[in-house]
Amino acid sequence: MKLQEALEKLKSQGYKTTAKRQDILAYFDETDGYRTAKDLLQHMEPTYKGISFDTLYRNLHLFDEVGILETTELNGEKHFRITCTHHHHHHFICKDCGKTKEIDVCPMNEVQNSLGNYAIEGHKFEIYGLCPVCQDA
């Protein structure tokens, strides 16, 4: 999902697209991988002096709820990234830098066979480790 698409989705759900919200979404649109609220705060503080974690978390939660951002938990902390809507895939996530790499293989066919008559409503498959850059560091 690109920035303009994210803003349109926000508007279509009845939410305002303020400059602050646009800047938050632009940050995620321009970064590669998952980022924390702390990363976002450091990015936003020079422009929005005194911006609070509460303000950021409220917006991050809203964007997750609306389907603009997706979340994961790394090292006990919630991380966010802009949602990818162009095709079904999963992610390798670097535990150090948060960079992601798409994985096109989906294990759901095997899982579906194993669960027989269970009604699966959704799934998320993530692999964690270190990217080549962080391994070399």
Side-chain angles (χ1 to χ4, degrees):
M1 178 177 302
K2 291 295 173 203
L3 179 59
Q4 202 52 46
E5 187 182 347
L7 293 171
E8 288 301 320
K9 188 168 190 171
L10 194 61
K11 260 189 203 176
S12 73
Q13 303 248 349
Y15 296 100
K16 293 180 182 177
T17 55
T18 64
K20 197 177 292 180
R21 285 182 174 165
Q22 289 179 33
D23 288 347
I24 292 170
L25 290 172
Y27 171 73
F28 285 102
D29 186 48
E30 294 164 5
T31 58
D32 178 21
Y34 284 89
R35 298 291 176 249
T36 65
K38 189 182 344 177
D39 297 331
L40 177 61
L41 181 67
Q42 289 172 345
H43 172 78
M44 300 286 287
E45 267 188 329
T47 306
Y48 298 96
K49 300 283 184 217
I51 192 168
S52 70
F53 266 120
D54 286 346
T55 298
L56 294 180
Y57 273 114
R58 270 194 311 277
N59 282 287
L60 291 170
H61 178 71
L62 169 67
F63 298 153
D64 179 36
E65 206 172 83
V66 171
I68 294 171
L69 294 181
E70 50 189 48
T71 64
T72 193
E73 192 162 313
L74 286 170
N75 305 322
E77 188 174 14
K78 204 168 209 174
H79 286 62
F80 304 85
R81 74 173 260 141
I82 203 147
T83 302
C84 177
T85 57
H86 63 306
H87 69 283
H88 180 79
H89 66 276
H90 299 283
H91 295 117
F92 169 88
I93 304 167
C94 180
K95 291 172 54 177
D96 279 356
C97 70
K99 182 178 171 98
T100 62
K101 178 164 177 42
E102 288 185 9
I103 302 168
D104 291 322
V105 175
C106 180
M108 283 310 294
N109 288 339
E110 257 184 68
V111 170
Q112 189 78 51
N113 291 337
S114 297
L115 292 175
N117 62 355
Y118 287 80
I120 297 172
E121 296 179 355
H123 72 280
K124 189 174 184 176
F125 179 69
E126 297 172 337
I127 297 174
Y128 304 97
L130 298 176
C131 70
V133 172
C134 291
Q135 286 178 60
D136 291 342

